[in-house]
């Protein structure tokens, strides 16, 4: 029972079914109340105290819980999340104990067909339109406006670009990045009616994977994303993605190797640099956001120009995208780590101090695997 189902701000804790008698619980994001031994994975912040000030009994309890001996390991889903956690907890008296059991393990994704669905066409130079697929419910935050504007620019220049958008088109106050001024997104919604755009309001994941499989690029020019799961799903289907260097994305996308990276101003933790203060209702913020969309659309179109009518250039990117999925995100890699990990942690005594051991190896980044993709 996630407690935010009872009260929305209690997003950091959960209650498991009683009497399940588990030797070990692996929790995700939420601290499991009352468990005798657990490890916890998280994607950005731990403990999750969104909507609460730092100093309050609820937050203090969650910190004591993950600092104590019942919590055996803390597993960041990315090196970005690790840095975020260290920054979040650096002033705590228990910061050293938390760091001792902190490690990084990337998520896994089911691999698609071993054969590239477009390999035969590309090997024989068959590529009329370049097909780009954007996936994201939060249309503005994840870069859907960039996709729409790029489609408009490509249409005006008569470029062979076709864009598929899978989105429920959520924008505005529902996100933490979008402008909230009235009518801001109306022009971008109109662009979705262009002849080189196809909009799908919602599809099952299997259908999305099939759509990605037949695409030349995935597209996620996001302003904020804890991980960027649509990119690794695309990689699992041999598809490179066009992305921005926010948060965890640079850990697995390398420009010109397994995808294309667009420039975006980010801070040392990988967060998009926005105007100071909460100004999302202001006209100045809307202009800033518009400018960012314009720059990203221009950069994306420029990055794509070498691939128009150049099928042979796609093959190395697609090969490396799939290889990245196999080496970094496959269930085989994940299982090879977690199976012995669970057995080992389950045998640890609760009287022992929990700390990361020599076998608790963190996942590598794409830079650390680059030599394998040469």
């Amino acid at each position: 029972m996630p407690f935010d189902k009872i009260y929305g701000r209690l997003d950091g804790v959960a209650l498991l079914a009683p009497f399940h008698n588990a030797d070990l619980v692996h929790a995700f994001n939420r601290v499991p109340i009352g468990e005798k031994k657990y490890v916890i994975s998280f994607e950005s912040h731990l403990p999750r105290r969104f909507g609460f000030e730092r100093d309050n009994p609820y937050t203090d309890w969650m910190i004591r819980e993950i600092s104590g001996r019942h919590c055996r390991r803390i597993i960041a889903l990315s090196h970005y999340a690790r840095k975020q956690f260290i920054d979040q907890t650096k002033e705590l008296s228990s910061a050293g104990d938390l760091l001792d059991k902190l490690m990084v393990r990337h998520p896994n994704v089911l691999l698609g067909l071993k054969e590239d669905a477009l390999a035969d066409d590309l090997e024989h130079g068959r590529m009329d339109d370049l097909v780009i697929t954007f996936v994201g419910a939060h249309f503005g935050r994840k870069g859907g406006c960039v996709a729409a504007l790029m489609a408009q620019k490509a249409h005006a220049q008569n470029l062979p670009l076709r864009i598929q958008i899978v989105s429920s088109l959520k924008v505005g106050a529902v996100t933490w990045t979008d402008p909230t001024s009235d009518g801001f997104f109306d022009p971008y919604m109109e662009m979705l009616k262009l002849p080189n755009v196809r909009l799908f309001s919602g599809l099952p994941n299997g259908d999305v994977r099939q759509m990605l499989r037949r695409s030349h690029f995935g597209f996620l020019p996001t302003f904020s994303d804890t991980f960027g799961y649509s990119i690794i799903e695309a990689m699992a289907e041999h598809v490179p993605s066009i992305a921005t260097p926010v948060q965890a994305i640079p850990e697995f996308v390398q420009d010109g190797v397994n995808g294309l990276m667009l420039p975006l101003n980010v801070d040392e933790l990988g967060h998009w640099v926005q105007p100071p203060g909460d100004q999302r209702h202001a006209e100045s913020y809307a202009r800033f956001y518009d400018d960012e969309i314009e720059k990203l659309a221009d950069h994306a179109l420029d990055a794509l120009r070498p691939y128009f009518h150049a099928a042979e250039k796609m093959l190395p990117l697609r090969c490396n995208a799939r290889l990245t999925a196999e080496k970094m995100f496959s269930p085989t890699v994940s299982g090879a780590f977690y199976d012995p990990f669970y057995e080992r942690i389950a045998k640890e005594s609760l009287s022992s101090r929990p700390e990361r051991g020599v076998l608790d190896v963190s996942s590598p980044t794409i830079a650390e695997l680059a030599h394998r993709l040469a």
Side-chain angles (χ1 to χ4, degrees), residues 53-116:
E53 295 297 326
R54 161 64 190 90
D55 294 321
N56 64 83
Y58 170 63
T59 298
D60 291 342
W61 172 80
M62 287 193 292
I63 291 169
R64 286 195 304 273
E65 183 63 28
I66 63 173
S67 301
R69 297 195 174 191
H70 294 281
C71 177
R72 306 306 297 181
R73 300 292 188 277
I74 297 172
I75 307 169
L77 249 60
S78 65
H79 294 273
Y80 151 72
R82 180 181 185 276
K83 289 190 294 183
Q84 171 69 44
F85 179 77
I86 291 172
D87 185 69
Q88 179 186 350
T89 59
K90 61 187 177 185
E91 296 180 358
L92 299 176
S93 60
S94 59
D97 293 332
L98 293 169
L99 185 59
D100 281 347
K101 50 187 171 182
L102 177 63
M103 54 194 289
V104 176
R105 296 306 304 182
H106 287 143
N108 67 74
V109 62
L110 289 175
L111 299 179
L113 298 175
K114 191 161 185 65
E115 298 77 23
D116 183 352

Side-chain angles (χ1 to χ4, degrees), residues 231-253:
I231 296 177
I232 64 173
E233 288 197 323
M235 285 177 166
E237 303 291 351
H238 302 262
V239 180
S241 287
I242 304 165
T244 43
V246 301
Q247 290 150 279
I249 291 174
E251 295 175 32
F252 51 91
V253 176

Side-chain angles (χ1 to χ4, degrees), residues 177-287:
T177 58
D178 290 356
T180 55
S181 49
D182 291 341
F184 175 85
F185 289 97
D186 292 350
Y188 297 103
M189 297 301 176
E190 283 297 310
M191 295 174 195
L192 301 182
K193 301 174 184 177
L194 287 163
N196 59 344
V197 176
R198 287 195 68 191
L199 173 64
F200 301 85
S201 59
L203 291 173
N205 183 257
D207 292 348
V208 174
R209 292 285 293 262
Q210 286 199 35
M211 185 179 294
L212 286 169
R213 191 177 304 151
R214 303 295 306 179
S215 303
H216 296 106
F217 284 99
F219 198 59
L220 193 70
T222 178
F223 293 108
S224 177
D225 238 294
T226 53
F227 200 86
Y229 294 98
S230 67
I231 296 177
I232 64 173
E233 288 197 323
M235 285 177 166
E237 303 291 351
H238 302 262
V239 180
S241 287
I242 304 165
T244 43
V246 301
Q247 290 150 279
I249 291 174
E251 295 175 32
F252 51 91
V253 176
Q254 190 169 24
D255 185 50
V257 176
N258 61 359
L260 302 174
M261 192 72 82
L262 306 178
L264 186 70
N265 189 19
V266 298
D267 64 18
E268 63 277 4
L269 289 177
H271 297 135
W272 174 44
V273 177
Q274 303 166 252
D278 186 10
Q279 306 175 24
R280 294 200 294 145
H281 63 283
E283 183 61 32
S284 58
Y285 186 85
R287 288 195 300 270

Side-chain angles (χ1 to χ4, degrees), residues 133-139 164-169 198-204 207-208 211:
T133 298
F134 166 86
V135 181
H138 284 186
F139 181 74
Q164 302 177 134
I165 292 176
V166 183
S167 177
S168 53
L169 303 180
R198 287 195 68 191
L199 173 64
F200 301 85
S201 59
L203 291 173
D207 292 348
V208 174
M211 185 179 294

